[in-house]
Amino acid sequence: MAVDGLYIQMFSIHGLVRHENPEMGRDADTGGQIKYVLELCRYLAGHRSVRQVDLFTRFIDDKILSDDYTVPIQEVEEGFRIVRIQCGGKKYMRKELLWPHLDEYIDKTIRFIKRENAIPDVVHGHYADAGYVAMQLSSSFGIPFVFTGHSLGRAKRQKLLDDGLESDEIERKYRIDHRIRVEENILRNADLVITSTHQEAEEQYGMYRFHEAPRYQVIPPGLDVDIFYPFYRDMVEEQERSDVALHTRASIFQELNRFFVTPDKPLILALCRPDKRKNISGLIHAYGEDKELQTMANLAIYAGLRKDISEMEDNEREVLTEMLLLMDKYDLYGKMAIPKKHDFEHEVPELYRIAAQRKGVFVNPALTEPFGLTLLEAAAVGLPVVATNDGGPRDIFANCGCGQLIDPTDGKKIAAAIRKVLADGERWERFSKNGILNVRKHYTWISHTKTYMEEINDLLEEAKTSVKLSDIPMDPIGRRLAGLNHFIITDIDNTLIGEDNSRLAEFLEIVRENRSRIGFGVATGRSLESAVHFLKQHKVEGLDVIISSVGSEIYYGAGNQPGIGWRTHISNKWDRKRIKGLLDGLPFLEYQEEANQRPFKISYNMAADRDHLASVHDLLLKNKCPYSLIYSHQKYLDILPYRASKGKAIRYLSYKWEIPLGNFLVCGDSGNDEEMLRGEPKAVVVGNYSPELEKLRGRRKIFFATKVNAGGILEALEHYNFLKEVNP
Ligand code: GLC
Ligand code: MG
């Protein structure tokens, strides 16, 4: 750990993220995850071994939304900033549409890192989209990668199928296959996955092929215990209570008293969304069948807000209608309350407290309960809990000892469990006290942060020694590139290596000596495999970058890590099949051997002929295919995406890694180097150049060497005083 503390980068890209008054529930993408991430960042920033937390989200400038989302860097408090990075334009879009723009997000984040001159110690992605971004950064910079899924594609797909949706529809609406593929990849590469419950770690992640790859740590989210304070504090501090709280209580009582004949009885409280899986009907059956329970306690069910049930969505309408029918069937008038509306922010904590003051019980009868935030809230104020025997409650009860588990499908047992809690005063007190104490011990952001930091410190220790399982090599090339300000990029054939290689070793020695300040790469028509093989034969090793296949591919570092950002960038409007189909019809073109054909490069041999070249252009233009065409050595014809070429790849490197174009020395010998030699970079044409480059003579920043091959490059280093500039 650095002496001055850790720098953590958090990623939560979709939805609307702002620290003040976050717009919870404004749309489906702005919900619990965002609240969670904001709280986590705030508490981490306050931790003594953390120097800085940056929360990365999307920059959004959209007239239907607040201006708050247009602030690129926002200081929230000391050591905590929100950083907004643009991708896919400025308009708001739902998370399913963000996938194609994430590589742009990554490139811009790398620029940010370079500009700030601060590489994070850890990256942490939330949800698959931000997980993807964090994963790529982790592999570029060789730093640990932490992932929190919040929800997972495989479980979601299952749920939607169960709800009766068709596979096609699910795919169209949710891009679920892509999401699942990304999640599999994330699991393969994550160093640590954080879940809220054990069940989430085992069952939800258990659906994944690479389930076993990462380490898991269960750290439940924290609860705000300042809001969910113990019920007895009310009585102690009766006089100090604010008007709002008094008013809230009064309105809760008023509402409940409309339903109850004997309002002072203990209260059985349920609070949930009107969703079938929440099994409200199971609870009413249990209560309705048990006369003794009815004499002991009243039942209050808060099932969301409603105006007109007949206008609600199917699932909700059915749940609420059944609730009313059951109330009637068991004749629960005077004993059961089903309030129409309540104010979540103020009423919910008060509700739990009122139920606790009346020695009641909170019941969660859901068929499945992965987490169970309401249980924690109830326990935190001192209200005992009866809850479904499933992942979330199991964890909570094991930690807190605040109630009893039940089988939600067995009405008799539910009723019996509730009766037992209500009747046994000692037991009630024990559950109540345990809840108040143990929620504070296990479920606050302070305890969350403590466990979190222990895990991170372990990771950083391990990272020093361990070898990763992942297939992405952990060569921290990003760390290196982010520190560089100068680069030499050279063509291979007849430039770096050619007929006269007598000065190659001398050149490579200079590159080695200046390695800490100069990046070194090649740009070639060869494929990656062919380039690597050929360079090795000539003992050229340790390259930072290989731009191969005429600029249609970029690879980084010793592991030749593919540049995914570049691939995504050039893939725009590229239709290989269609172009090949068109060109195959031209008799004067001969398709090159398969080894030369690449996803973003179609190569032919073609004898030099002006008319032929013109007909290729004509054909592609007429058919509205965007492309770039490179003809070289009077015989090679390469068709690439319109955004690809060796020169454009160099410009992309300069942009992404924030290395000024003017600080590149670019070396070439023939027509297919022409485009990368022109413009801003310092260029050299080696002495043995092909005649087609003669036209560049006399141009600014294009130096014609007299020496051949590597000798020419050495001459250019002198000419531009490159080494002096690099080591002032
Ligand atoms: C290399 C490639 C070939 C390409 C040529 C010109 O020779 O193998 O496919 O056409 O360079 O760029
Ligand atoms: Mg060449």
Side-chain angles (χ1 to χ4, degrees):
M1 194 177 71
V3 244
D4 53 350
L6 297 181
Y7 172 30
I8 301 172
Q9 288 188 344
M10 286 285 169
F11 293 85
S12 186
I13 293 175
H14 64 246
L16 298 168
V17 181
R18 68 179 183 201
H19 71 291
E20 232 168 77
N21 203 3
E23 300 189 77
M24 288 312 139
R26 178 177 171 131
D27 61 38
D29 291 353
T30 309
Q33 174 183 330
I34 284 166
K35 193 169 158 206
Y36 176 109
V37 174
L38 285 166
E39 302 258 287
L40 175 61
C41 290
R42 195 169 289 145
Y43 277 88
L44 282 175
H47 194 279
R48 62 189 153 71
S49 41
V50 174
R51 166 170 55 94
Q52 176 73 34
V53 178
D54 283 343
L55 169 55
F56 286 77
T57 190
R58 190 166 164 251
F59 173 95
I60 303 159
D61 189 353
D62 194 326
K63 53 184 176 308
I64 61 167
L65 293 169
S66 149
D67 282 350
D68 294 347
Y69 309 110
T70 66
V71 181
I73 300 179
Q74 191 168 22
E75 285 280 341
V76 177
E77 50 191 53
E78 210 192 314
F80 173 21
R81 299 184 298 183
I82 295 177
V83 179
R84 297 193 175 83
I85 303 260
Q86 189 181 320
C87 73
K90 295 182 174 172
K91 285 225 164 60
Y92 189 58
M93 54 177 119
R94 62 188 172 92
K95 59 179 177 307
E96 290 79 8
L97 302 180
L98 284 174
W99 293 114
H101 309 296
L102 295 177
D103 293 308
E104 179 188 349
Y105 196 98
I106 294 165
D107 285 354
K108 288 180 175 163
T109 304
I110 288 175
R111 279 167 69 82
F112 175 87
I113 291 173
K114 171 100 189 218
R115 237 176 299 144
E116 294 268 307
N117 194 19
I119 294 173
D121 298 292
V122 183
V123 283
H124 183 164
H126 295 264
Y127 194 88
D129 49 12
Y132 173 78
V133 169
M135 169 175 78
Q136 301 296 349
L137 293 169
S138 144
S139 82
S140 290
F141 292 106
I143 42 180
F145 164 36
V146 182
F147 177 65
T148 304
H150 292 273
S151 81
L152 291 175
R154 288 203 191 273
K156 169 129 187 181
R157 182 164 64 187
Q158 195 51 52
K159 179 173 171 283
L160 294 171
L161 288 170
D162 292 347
D163 285 352
L165 264 76
E166 299 288 334
S167 284
D168 288 2
E169 196 184 343
I170 298 176
E171 183 49 33
R172 216 175 32 248
K173 246 191 175 152
Y174 299 104
R175 315 277 152 103
I176 207 99
D177 288 347
H178 182 76
R179 175 175 169 191
I180 290 169
R181 270 197 301 278
V182 172
E183 286 167 341
E184 288 283 11
N185 210 0
I186 286 173
L187 291 183
R188 228 156 29 138
N189 290 286
D191 296 283
L192 174 68
V193 172
I194 293 176
T195 69
S196 290
T197 64
H198 287 100
Q199 178 172 282
E200 185 190 351
E202 283 145 27
E203 290 178 19
Q204 302 214 38
Y205 283 94
M207 298 167 85
Y208 284 76
R209 262 199 296 153
F210 291 102
H211 170 227
E212 306 280 347
R215 180 161 92 218
Y216 292 82
Q217 177 67 41
V218 179
I219 321 181
L223 188 76
D224 191 343
V225 289
D226 289 340
I227 295 174
F228 295 94
Y229 55 82
F231 69 92
Y232 47 73
R233 235 176 72 185
D234 289 351
M235 315 214 221
V236 179
E237 296 163 18
E238 192 73 40
Q239 289 101 330
E240 293 168 27
R241 297 241 317 275
S242 69
D243 287 352
V244 182
L246 280 174
H247 177 81
T248 306
R249 284 179 82 81
S251 87
I252 293 173
F253 283 128
Q254 197 181 19
E255 181 72 8
L256 286 177
N257 292 348
R258 295 201 307 158
F259 292 94
F260 297 143
V261 174
T262 328
D264 294 334
K265 275 189 196 171
L267 194 63
I268 302 167
L269 176 67
L271 188 98
C272 59
R273 271 178 296 114
D275 181 327
K276 280 195 190 129
R277 268 176 282 263
K278 297 291 179 188
N279 191 30
I280 297 171
S281 61
L283 175 61
I284 306 178
H285 277 297
Y287 183 74
E289 301 276 352
D290 192 322
K291 288 273 180 276
E292 194 188 334
L293 185 55
Q294 289 172 33
T295 56
M296 288 171 79
N298 291 322
L299 172 64
I301 296 178
Y302 285 77
L305 311 177
R306 61 177 188 273
K307 274 196 179 133
D308 185 345
I309 294 180
S310 66
E311 282 174 9
M312 296 179 80
E313 273 183 44
D314 292 356
N315 184 0
E316 300 185 350
R317 192 183 59 238
E318 283 163 27
V319 169
L320 294 170
T321 311
E322 194 183 8
M323 191 166 91
L324 292 170
L325 291 177
L326 287 174
M327 183 171 172
D328 191 74
K329 171 177 165 181
Y330 292 112
D331 193 10
L332 298 174
Y333 298 97
K335 303 172 194 166
M336 175 175 163
I338 41 172
K340 246 173 118 72
K341 55 168 191 239
H342 64 273
D343 135 25
F344 280 95
E345 204 187 321
H346 299 106
E347 289 194 1
V348 169
E350 280 307 320
L351 257 174
Y352 294 120
R353 278 190 285 267
I354 288 170
Q357 277 157 13
R358 294 195 176 165
K359 302 290 174 221
V361 59
F362 180 76
V363 185
N364 177 332
L367 297 176
T368 62
E369 188 52 82
F371 184 66
L373 185 63
T374 52
L375 271 69
L376 286 179
E377 295 173 348
V381 312
L383 178 61
V385 179
V386 166
T388 202
N389 188 357
D390 194 25
R394 252 180 254 154
D395 276 11
I396 293 174
F397 285 21
N399 285 327
C400 299
C402 57
Q404 192 181 328
L405 294 172
I406 41 113
D407 171 358
T409 59
D410 186 338
K412 282 212 170 58
K413 292 235 175 85
I414 297 178
I418 299 174
R419 260 194 280 119
K420 205 166 156 209
V421 176
L422 295 175
D424 184 343
E426 234 171 77
R427 204 154 167 262
W428 191 97
E429 287 296 338
R430 197 171 62 243
F431 284 158
S432 173
K433 217 178 275 161
N434 284 348
I436 294 171
L437 289 176
N438 291 325
V439 167
R440 279 159 185 76
K441 188 157 151 205
H442 298 283
Y443 294 98
T444 58
W445 282 109
I446 292 179
S447 61
H448 184 110
T449 312
K450 185 166 167 280
T451 318
Y452 184 99
M453 288 309 297
E454 284 164 9
E455 286 296 315
I456 298 298
N457 284 325
D458 284 356
L459 271 188
L460 291 170
E461 277 305 310
E462 280 165 30
K464 288 184 195 153
T465 50
S466 80
V467 180
K468 279 199 46 142
L469 279 170
S470 108
D471 64 339
I472 296 184
M474 284 305 289
D475 173 20
I477 181 69
R479 208 172 262 280
R480 177 164 158 68
L481 293 186
L484 290 176
N485 222 16
H486 288 83
F487 234 101
I488 299 175
I489 300 267
T490 175
D491 168 49
I492 301 178
D493 292 272
N494 295 324
T495 304
L496 181 67
I497 299 167
E499 278 180 13
D500 178 358
N501 295 322
S502 56
R503 301 196 65 192
L504 179 59
E506 188 185 335
F507 169 70
L508 293 175
E509 189 48 35
I510 287 182
V511 169
R512 241 188 313 273
E513 277 167 11
N514 291 278
R515 205 182 136 70
S516 64
R517 289 174 184 252
I518 305 179
F520 177 47
V522 293
T524 177
R526 290 175 183 257
S527 68
L528 174 73
E529 300 75 18
S530 148
V532 168
H533 180 77
F534 186 67
L535 290 169
K536 211 166 178 181
Q537 281 180 342
H538 291 272
K539 303 210 162 50
V540 184
E541 276 158 336
L543 288 112
D544 293 305
V545 176
I546 296 180
I547 297 169
S548 62
S549 300
V550 204
S552 69
E553 295 169 27
I554 297 180
Y555 296 88
Y556 294 105
N560 296 322
Q561 196 173 312
I564 296 168
W566 178 242
R567 203 154 70 192
T568 311
H569 175 71
I570 64 173
S571 67
N572 191 264
K573 303 202 173 99
W574 170 244
D575 189 345
R576 189 182 202 285
K577 233 178 157 173
R578 177 138 186 273
I579 295 178
K580 178 170 183 298
L582 290 167
L583 295 182
D584 278 352
L586 296 177
F588 51 84
L589 290 184
E590 180 200 9
Y591 198 56
Q592 288 183 15
E593 56 180 301
E594 268 312 322
N596 289 344
Q597 308 296 345
R598 311 290 288 191
F600 297 104
K601 166 173 168 284
I602 314 174
S603 293
Y604 296 89
N605 296 325
M606 185 186 93
D609 183 325
R610 269 187 172 281
D611 291 344
H612 290 171
L613 213 49
S615 11
V616 172
H617 280 298
D618 272 358
L619 185 63
L620 295 178
L621 288 175
K622 210 167 60 205
N623 285 282
K624 298 203 169 60
C625 294
Y627 66 96
S628 42
L629 180 154
I630 308 229
Y631 186 62
S632 56
H633 297 278
Q634 311 288 312
K635 65 173 177 225
Y636 299 129
L637 178 77
D638 302 315
I639 307 291
L640 313 168
Y642 77 98
R643 284 181 173 172
S645 72
K646 296 204 285 189
K648 286 174 190 154
I650 291 173
R651 276 151 186 83
Y652 170 81
L653 287 178
S654 147
Y655 168 80
K656 172 164 172 172
W657 299 98
E658 286 241 318
I659 301 169
L661 212 45
N663 292 358
F664 278 74
L665 176 66
V666 177
C667 324
D669 74 291
S670 79
N672 67 4
D673 303 316
E674 179 182 333
E675 175 258 1
M676 75 172 180
L677 295 169
R678 287 174 183 275
E680 265 305 283
K682 299 178 168 66
V684 52
V685 176
V686 289
N688 55 302
Y689 65 93
S690 313
E692 68 257 25
L693 289 189
E694 191 57 44
K695 59 175 178 280
L696 296 181
R697 197 183 277 280
R699 280 182 178 259
R700 205 176 69 90
K701 286 206 185 181
I702 298 189
F703 170 63
F704 275 71
T706 52
K707 307 248 163 53
V708 301
N709 299 129
I713 306 179
L714 285 167
E715 208 181 324
L717 289 176
E718 288 285 321
H719 172 83
Y720 287 114
N721 241 329
F722 199 71
L723 298 177
K724 282 240 173 60
E725 186 185 311
V726 172
N727 305 295

